[in-house]
Amino acid sequence: MVQNLSDPIEDEMPPAPQSLNSDQQAKINFLLERWNGVQGQLKRAEQISQLAVTPAINELRYAGRMLVAAMSNTSPTDENGVPNLDDAIVTANQYITNAEHDISDALVYFYQKKTDDLNARFGAETIRKEFPEYGKLLEHLQQARGLVILSRSKMSERKSNYQDLVKLTDEITDNYFSFMDAEILFGLEIEHYRARIKLWKSVSCVTFTWAAIITLTLILV
């Protein structure tokens, strides 16, 4: 018997994808919205630090992998490790939260390193005189470090601490770019080099004086 080409070929037809109820669909949509938001935060952090925030990238990958596995045509079993959709939604949401925390941690570390370098080079008080908002940046950074520590020591407060930390890192970022946009660093660099030239001239003058004294002494002797 010749099969009509218009007839479906049962063996070649993939099984129907897992259908979602309205609650699951709403949660998936929420996850997608969160994913996009955290992805935006990740890209911003990478542009600021010029470094890849690898832990956050991995967490987002895990979230996607979890959902793809759960929404595949493979039936969940203990053997294949495929989760059911409801469990996958909860786990994926936690992975996205972890990514958001990793981004905040990376930004706090970046700004701490930057301010440590600036303070060592120019002095915090010198920078404050030129840019009064620098004090607020340092204050926010101190608060952010405290929240990171608290989130580790008090797990029950971790969610609220990181919500506050995200807001703080946004404020620190605004302060940092205001500082950079004001070209304060350029002015500080000029003053730094002027001070070095002045010191060099002073040292050169002293060296010349001692050389002259030594030469005269040798001549007179």
Side-chain angles (χ1 to χ4, degrees), residues 100-113:
E100 192 171 40
H101 294 178
D102 289 334
I103 293 167
S104 295
D105 289 349
L107 283 174
V108 169
Y109 174 79
F110 169 77
Y111 289 127
Q112 185 63 59
K113 187 174 186 302

Side-chain angles (χ1 to χ4, degrees), residues 155-173:
M155 294 297 293
S156 60
E157 299 178 10
R158 188 176 190 190
K159 182 178 180 180
S160 62
N161 285 337
Y162 265 100
Q163 288 174 343
D164 293 338
L165 184 60
V166 170
K167 295 176 184 177
L168 264 179
T169 50
D170 286 341
E171 293 177 9
I172 293 170
T173 298

Side-chain angles (χ1 to χ4, degrees), residues 109-132:
Y109 174 79
F110 169 77
Y111 289 127
Q112 185 63 59
K113 187 174 186 302
K114 279 291 183 182
T115 53
D116 284 347
D117 291 343
L118 289 169
N119 293 343
R121 187 171 179 80
F122 306 112
E125 289 304 318
T126 300
I127 300 173
R128 280 195 187 97
K129 290 177 183 178
E130 298 295 327
F131 187 70

Side-chain angles (χ1 to χ4, degrees), residues 88-211:
I89 289 173
V90 173
T91 304
N93 188 57
Q94 183 59 54
Y95 280 139
I96 295 173
T97 297
N98 294 346
E100 192 171 40
H101 294 178
D102 289 334
I103 293 167
S104 295
D105 289 349
L107 283 174
V108 169
Y109 174 79
F110 169 77
Y111 289 127
Q112 185 63 59
K113 187 174 186 302
K114 279 291 183 182
T115 53
D116 284 347
D117 291 343
L118 289 169
N119 293 343
R121 187 171 179 80
F122 306 112
E125 289 304 318
T126 300
I127 300 173
R128 280 195 187 97
K129 290 177 183 178
E130 298 295 327
F131 187 70
E133 292 298 307
Y134 187 69
K136 184 181 292 185
L137 191 157
L138 295 179
E139 180 182 340
H140 286 163
L141 189 55
Q142 183 178 11
Q143 293 173 6
R145 293 198 308 270
L147 286 172
V148 171
I149 294 172
L150 279 176
S151 69
R152 297 298 188 272
S153 60
K154 294 185 178 180
M155 294 297 293
S156 60
E157 299 178 10
R158 188 176 190 190
K159 182 178 180 180
S160 62
N161 285 337
Y162 265 100
Q163 288 174 343
D164 293 338
L165 184 60
V166 170
K167 295 176 184 177
L168 264 179
T169 50
D170 286 341
E171 293 177 9
I172 293 170
T173 298
D174 291 340
N175 290 150
Y176 178 77
F177 278 104
S178 295
F179 172 73
M180 299 302 289
D181 292 342
E183 297 184 352
I184 301 298
L185 187 59
F186 179 73
L188 289 170
E189 287 285 3
I190 291 177
E191 291 302 319
H192 178 70
Y193 281 112
R194 282 176 178 171
R196 290 183 64 182
I197 291 172
K198 185 177 180 180
L199 177 63
W200 178 80
K201 286 181 177 179
S202 299
V203 172
S204 297
C205 182
V206 172
T207 302
F208 176 78
T209 301
W210 276 106

Side-chain angles (χ1 to χ4, degrees), residues 23-42:
D23 181 60
Q24 290 172 332
Q25 186 63 63
K27 289 177 178 178
I28 292 291
N29 292 341
F30 173 72
L31 283 181
L32 179 60
E33 184 177 345
R34 282 204 71 200
W35 176 293
N36 289 334
V38 174
Q39 185 74 16
Q41 293 176 33
L42 174 62

